[in-house]
Amino acid sequence: MSDHEEAGAVRPSALAWVGRHLAAGERVVATGALHGGITAEMRRLTIGTRDGDTRHLVLRTFVDPSFVALAEDLLNREAGVLALLAGTGVPAPGPVAVDAAAAHCEYPSLLMTHLPGRTVLDDRGLEARVPLLARQLVAIHALRPAERPREYRAWTTADAVVPPDGADAAAWAAATDVIRRPAPGYEGRFLQRDFQPGNVLFDVVPRSLAGPRITGVVDWVETCWGPADLDVAHCSTNLAMLHGPVWGLRFAEAYEEAGGVLAAATGERLYWRLLDALGFAGQMRWVARPWQEAGRTELTTRTVEGRLDAYVTALLDALG
């Protein structure tokens, strides 16, 4: 078995479980690894149908012990959110089956529908994609579910921030002081909470046609209720690390141009943007890995750390 085949293999119990959720006459005919996930294994399953055609499903599996312990809550929450999103107009996968406690599979798993398109992380064409990302996020924030998801949780605290090696110590000290303040008040919105280019699928057509369009938003594990600024901040930080600090600053402008509403006070905007950015400190190796696997091999840990440092400084200059 090749490394690629092994990476895409599905464990026997999980394969049997999947089979029980297929239509009569269907079977799994091929599996393959989907790259880009940090916390879970992602597999694309090719399903042979009774009429000789094929369709695809996606299997998310938590295998890392630190996430297996959380998997029951995470997978049940995601399955519930995917069911809620059906019919909303937000392009998200549909839930097929969930084995959150690993009662049937080797590890906790979620089976869902497969969406067309692919992630696009290249610098080329970014100017056209950023407004699309912004409009999609505005649409997500406009959702008003009958039952609100849980309240957001901050992913770092001032005391936990460790600046990257070689970072501007004065800037990081000032940024840390900002997030040491009490969180500003906010009007709650439905948050995807991990909205960023690695979780958005595009159908990129030739330049002579209509241009790129979003075909899907994936990874709804962290969905919650909170300030729109926090989702905007997360996408901004990712854009800054992927493409440079200027794009991190640009995204908030694009969000407002698309009709989104952010905190009125500059200091409040700065708080949310820094709360997200500083949360990446110490995580660069895990952040850079899926980008490198997707072909951005120049985005070494050191490169991404440098861009994060420059972005933190740029935020302080722009909003401080």
Side-chain angles (χ1 to χ4, degrees):
M1 180 181 288
S2 70
D3 290 343
H4 178 72
E5 290 170 332
E6 186 173 358
V10 177
R11 297 169 182 85
S13 293
L15 199 58
W17 173 74
V18 169
R20 293 195 291 274
H21 294 282
L22 301 179
E26 292 188 331
R27 62 189 181 91
V28 178
V29 297
T31 65
L34 293 172
H35 298 296
I38 297 177
T39 61
E41 291 181 352
M42 304 295 294
R43 302 284 182 265
R44 181 173 64 182
L45 313 181
T46 302
I47 311 300
T49 64
R50 292 181 63 179
D51 59 6
D53 203 353
T54 60
R55 65 187 182 97
H56 299 290
L57 296 174
V58 172
L59 181 68
R60 177 199 288 278
T61 304
F62 284 101
V63 298
D64 187 307
S66 60
F67 287 100
V68 167
L70 305 172
E72 187 167 3
D73 178 51
L74 294 175
L75 292 181
N76 281 328
R77 185 191 315 146
E78 182 170 28
V81 170
L82 296 183
L84 178 154
L85 292 170
T88 64
V90 173
V96 176
V98 61
D99 183 21
H104 306 284
C105 304
E106 289 86 348
Y107 294 96
S109 300
L110 171 64
L111 185 65
M112 63 193 106
T113 59
H114 177 268
L115 297 174
R118 62 182 177 87
T119 56
V120 183
L121 306 179
D122 300 335
D123 289 336
R124 184 165 55 102
L126 180 62
E127 188 172 353
R129 296 195 305 275
V130 164
L132 299 182
L133 290 169
R135 287 199 290 272
Q136 183 61 74
L137 191 55
V138 170
I140 291 171
H141 291 167
L143 296 176
R144 295 294 182 269
E147 183 178 345
R148 287 186 183 181
R150 63 182 183 134
E151 201 74 11
Y152 86 93
R153 299 172 186 172
W155 289 344
T156 193
T157 65
D159 292 337
V161 173
V162 179
D165 291 339
D168 185 324
W172 279 73
T176 302
D177 285 342
V178 170
I179 70 166
R180 200 180 299 278
R181 305 169 190 163
Y186 59 88
E187 182 178 355
R189 291 285 185 269
F190 184 88
L191 305 186
Q192 202 273 352
R193 195 64 173 99
D194 194 14
F195 187 86
Q196 42 95 0
N199 284 333
V200 178
L201 306 177
F202 282 90
D203 177 15
V204 183
V205 296
R207 190 183 300 270
S208 60
L209 300 177
R213 66 183 181 93
I214 290 176
T215 58
V217 181
V218 300
D219 198 349
W220 295 83
V221 170
E222 295 291 346
T223 300
C224 57
W225 191 260
D229 287 78
L230 200 50
D231 259 358
V232 171
H234 191 64
C235 192
S236 297
T237 307
N238 277 272
L239 287 169
M241 293 187 294
L242 269 168
H243 306 292
V246 65
W247 289 104
L249 297 175
R250 169 72 184 115
F251 185 69
E253 297 173 355
Y255 179 82
E256 291 187 295
E257 290 166 1
V261 178
L262 297 174
T266 301
E268 294 177 359
R269 296 186 180 205
L270 180 64
Y271 175 92
W272 298 115
R273 303 279 284 280
L274 288 174
L275 183 67
D276 184 81
L278 300 189
F280 280 93
Q283 307 296 320
M284 292 300 99
R285 182 164 64 94
W286 305 108
V287 170
R289 186 187 68 192
W291 295 344
Q292 293 165 0
E293 291 174 350
R296 296 294 303 274
T297 55
E298 81 282 9
L299 293 178
T300 64
T301 299
R302 188 69 195 97
T303 297
V304 175
E305 286 178 339
R307 288 184 173 182
L308 179 64
D309 180 37
Y311 177 57
V312 168
T313 301
L315 283 174
L316 292 167
D317 289 342
L319 300 174

